[in-house]
Structures are given as C-alpha cells and as structure tokens.
Amino acid sequence: MAYQSKFESNGVYTRYYGRVHANEIEESGGRLRNHPLTVARIGYCVCDFLDVEELVITDFEVLMLAARDHQIVDANPGLKIAIVAADARVTAIARIYAGSPLMRLNARVYDTLDAAYEWVGPTAGRGLQKTGAQGACVA
C-alpha cells in the first residue's frame, strides 16, 4: 500500500509515496465513498503526491477515477479536492482528473501543500506525519 491517510478537523489528508498504481488510488477513494456519513460532513481532501516516484496509471483510468469520485461530489457538492504534485508527469495526470467535466468545480492541482491548504480553508489541518494511519481519500 503506497499511501497513508489521516482525518483532520474538517477533511482528509492522504500522502501517496513511492510507486503508486491506479488500484491504490481507487482503494483510497473507495474507502471514503463507502462511508456516506463521513463524505457528507467533510469539507476537503488533500491528496499529496509530492513523494511519488512513479505513477502507474492510464488517462482512461484517471477519468474513471474522476467518474467514481463524482459520487462523493454528488453527496457533498461543497467538497474541495486539492491535489499536490511537483513532478511534471504526475501534475499532467492530476490535471486530467481535475479538468474532467465531473470534477472541474471541485478539484484543483497545486505544487505545494501550503497552496492546497490555503484553498481548502483556514480551519484545515496541515498534513500527515510519517507515522500516520492508513485510510481513505480520493484522487
């Protein structure tokens, strides 16, 4: 499992690292989609791809993730999904997700955690320590 997640005051922070496959991103998003009460109550998801060495995913798989994650947006239209990436390939993939018609209003791509947290709101937490629990998020 190449991710760790943490529930924060009003959202979820997920850090992806190493070699990440599409099924791992789907797994992290699925955990959140399967908890509709949680989905309706959170204000944001910060998905941190800064420590990803390789992202193994096709453009089609990215669009399928966006379609599945749109279920969360239907349950919580105000949900903000901030994707943080610095690597050019990871950023390009994240932009496909954020630019899809289903996610265009709710997802943004940033190159720093500070910028992502500024967008999701002033009451948001500030990331995951190396010992964080594994869990849920989208993107």
Side-chain angles (χ1 to χ4, degrees):
M1 188 174 313
Y3 68 92
Q4 297 173 305
S5 292
K6 173 182 131 178
F7 281 93
E8 298 177 332
S9 61
N10 189 33
V12 177
Y13 169 83
T14 299
R15 175 182 159 263
Y16 296 89
Y17 54 89
R19 186 172 193 199
V20 178
H21 293 84
N23 65 325
E24 292 167 315
I25 299 170
E26 170 56 29
E27 178 182 302
S28 67
R31 289 182 179 189
L32 189 60
R33 284 191 302 275
N34 291 330
H35 291 63
L37 294 177
T38 301
V39 169
R41 292 182 179 149
I42 63 172
Y44 66 88
C45 289
V46 172
C47 302
D48 177 355
F49 287 84
L50 293 174
D51 294 328
V52 169
E53 296 167 12
E54 182 180 8
L55 189 55
V56 184
I57 190 168
T58 66
D59 291 357
F60 177 76
E61 289 170 320
V62 172
L63 293 173
M64 291 304 297
L65 287 171
R68 286 186 203 98
D69 290 349
H70 187 67
Q71 297 171 10
I72 297 170
V73 172
D74 277 347
N76 183 351
L79 179 68
K80 293 182 177 183
I81 302 168
I83 304 165
V84 185
D87 177 82
R89 174 157 156 65
V90 176
T91 299
I93 291 168
R95 290 195 189 288
I96 292 169
Y97 175 91
S100 72
L102 296 173
M103 301 307 291
R104 193 170 287 149
L105 299 175
N106 298 79
R108 302 280 185 278
V109 180
Y110 297 94
D111 59 359
T112 67
L113 280 172
D114 286 342
Y117 275 104
E118 184 176 314
W119 181 61
V120 300
T123 61
R126 286 289 177 193
L128 182 70
Q129 302 302 317
K130 296 284 185 191
T131 59
Q134 296 180 358
C137 190
V138 296

